Amino acid sequence: MPSPVGHLLGGAIVGLLVEPAAVLVIAIAGAAPDVDFLWGRHNAETHSLGAAVLTGAVVLGWARWANLKVCPHPYRLALAVTLAWSSHVLFDWLGSDDTPPLGVMALWPLNSTYYFAHAYFFEAISRRYWLSNFWSHNLYAVAKEVLILGPVLVALRVFRSRALRRFRRRDTT
């Protein structure tokens, strides 16, 4: 399963696609499901599409109540947070997992089944610091995430910058 770096990159990609004004908040939403480490139920309820929708609903309510000036589109912000949270579920489903139960509880609250794609797209991040390959394996895993997701993020950023420049040029003429 990806590291926080991979999940932040996934959230940032969603942010650039849906609501660039709040890309940092949306990137954090991409890593947020790992909060479940605090109560020892990793890959359970917070790693689900149900939790993603619930979080999006909370963000929508908060953004409408707060009448945010930074992000004047509360529905887009809520959608982006929901999609970034869902990217975490997707990445963990596509990743390697070496800690039972394997997979993610993706369809909670509809069911409590753990789903695992066996795709091994991302490496499992080791939490076994006492092993001799702890650092080398985790550095390799993070580098792989950056090599997979980094170019997508950079390409989106470049595309958005060029589109914005074209829009401004057209607007001034």
Side-chain angles (χ1 to χ4, degrees), residues 123-126 128-129 131-144:
E123 300 293 321
I125 296 297
S126 175
R128 299 178 188 125
Y129 60 86
L131 295 177
S132 61
N133 70 339
F134 172 79
W135 288 106
S136 60
H137 171 77
N138 284 347
L139 287 172
Y140 168 75
V142 170
K144 185 176 176 182

Side-chain angles (χ1 to χ4, degrees), residues 11 16 79 82-83 89 141 173:
L16 283 176
L79 174 65
T82 301
L83 293 173
V89 178
T173 56

Side-chain angles (χ1 to χ4, degrees), residues 2 7 49 85-95 104 106 117 122:
H7 290 305
L49 299 178
W85 194 287
S86 298
S87 76
H88 190 112
V89 178
L90 174 67
F91 287 2
D92 279 4
W93 178 67
L94 291 173
V104 292
F122 297 104

Side-chain angles (χ1 to χ4, degrees), residues 42-123:
H42 187 59
N43 295 340
E45 295 84 5
T46 64
H47 284 67
S48 69
L49 299 178
V53 170
L54 181 64
T55 303
V58 168
V59 167
L60 177 61
W62 172 76
R64 291 186 71 202
W65 173 79
N67 197 15
L68 299 176
K69 303 295 183 217
V70 175
C71 184
H73 309 287
Y75 290 97
R76 282 198 336 220
L77 178 62
L79 174 65
V81 166
T82 301
L83 293 173
W85 194 287
S86 298
S87 76
H88 190 112
V89 178
L90 174 67
F91 287 2
D92 279 4
W93 178 67
L94 291 173
S96 300
D97 195 357
D98 57 5
T99 307
L102 298 181
V104 292
M105 201 184 284
L107 298 179
W108 178 88
L110 300 176
N111 69 50
S112 297
T113 304
Y114 284 81
Y115 295 92
F116 186 51
H118 298 282
Y120 309 108
F121 199 65
F122 297 104
E123 300 293 321

